Structures are given as structure tokens and as C-alpha cells.
Amino acid sequence: MAIKNLKDLYLDQLRDLYSACKQSQPIVTEMGRASKSEELSKALIAGNQGIADGMEVLSALCNEHGVDPTGEHCKGMEGLVTEARKHALETEYADEDAQDAAVITQYQRMAHYAIAGYGCVRTFANRLGLDGDAAKLQECLDNTWDGDRQMTKIAEGGVNKAAV
């Protein structure tokens, strides 16, 4: 798709963000299963639901604008997923809490990528006068920030303290 204007860029980035979310779901599930902390595992399950909810919003917005949400492949998230698999799942840890700390680290890196993506598309929607889109994207952004803050609480509240 040739990008001729801000609207084209907006639609391209919605599709890229959809791809990022889709790629992150399986690894978040795997990290949830690998987590030793019950609190962390539950938070990752909730995070995965948040990702699914965001994908629904992105898909609906794409469809409303006549574009296929599956038309892009996000290379940035592909790299983050590779890193998450390597550092949170494939590395051998003698300390379970240190592995949980790695899981939180990798989840937050992916969340921060999504935060940047949602912030950009929300700003584009505002500029384009797409107030309804902007409100939906702001909600996705807020939810992603909430998940990030929850991971910080889990890390600071127990996982990092327990890691040796």
C-alpha cells in the first residue's frame, strides 16, 4: 500500500499494531504458563485478554475504514517476541523468581511497544478528526498502561525481592 497522506499512514499503523498484538498473544500465554508466581500468571492471563480486546478494536476500526487488519507483518514485535522467548523461556534459570523477573521484563518491553503504537494512532486519529476512533484507541492505550503498571507492582512487590 502506497502511503500518500496521514490517513494512509494511520491505516497502515492500525494494521501494523494489529499484527504486533497478534504476535504477542502466544508468547504471553507461554510466559504465563512458565511463571512460578500465581499473581504473575494471573496478570499475564489478564494481559492476554487485554491484547485480545485491543485486537477487536483495531480490527473493527480497520473494517470501518475498508482495510483488512491482517495486511501487515510487524517486524518490531517479531523481534520482541524472539527476545522474550530467548530471555524468559529458553534461558535456564536456577532461581524461579529471577525467571519471573525476566518474564516481567519481556512483557513490559512488548507492552511499551504497544503503548507507543496506540499513542501514535490515537494522535493520528485526533489530527484526522476521527474522534470516535481516537476515543477507542485512548481506551486501548489506557488499558495497556494499566497492565504495565500492574507488572511493575508485581515486580516491586515480590518477584524482584524474592529473586536471588
Side-chain angles (χ1 to χ4, degrees), residues 1 12 14-16 18-19 62 67-74:
M1 169 171 140
D12 177 72
L14 287 177
R15 294 165 61 200
D16 192 71
Y18 181 88
S19 172
C62 285
V67 296
D68 179 2
T70 64
E72 286 289 321
H73 178 75
C74 179

Side-chain angles (χ1 to χ4, degrees), residues 22-83:
K22 187 173 182 175
Q23 289 179 64
S24 69
Q25 277 194 305
I27 193 73
V28 170
T29 298
E30 289 179 55
M31 291 191 304
R33 289 184 186 134
S35 299
K36 306 307 180 259
S37 161
E38 186 176 331
E39 181 182 20
L40 176 55
S41 183
K42 286 180 182 178
L44 289 166
I45 291 167
N48 228 350
Q49 183 57 53
I51 294 167
D53 294 345
M55 287 177 65
E56 285 182 31
V57 169
L58 294 166
S59 179
L61 292 175
C62 285
N63 289 326
E64 287 171 18
H65 293 286
V67 296
D68 179 2
T70 64
E72 286 289 321
H73 178 75
C74 179
K75 294 292 236 173
M77 186 57 74
E78 180 183 340
L80 289 169
V81 167
T82 298
E83 289 294 301

Side-chain angles (χ1 to χ4, degrees), residues 140-163:
C140 291
L141 179 59
D142 292 342
N143 291 339
T144 307
W145 269 117
D146 289 345
D148 179 66
R149 283 189 283 272
Q150 180 64 27
M151 288 297 162
T152 297
K153 286 180 187 175
I154 294 168
E156 293 175 346
V159 167
N160 291 354
K161 288 179 185 178

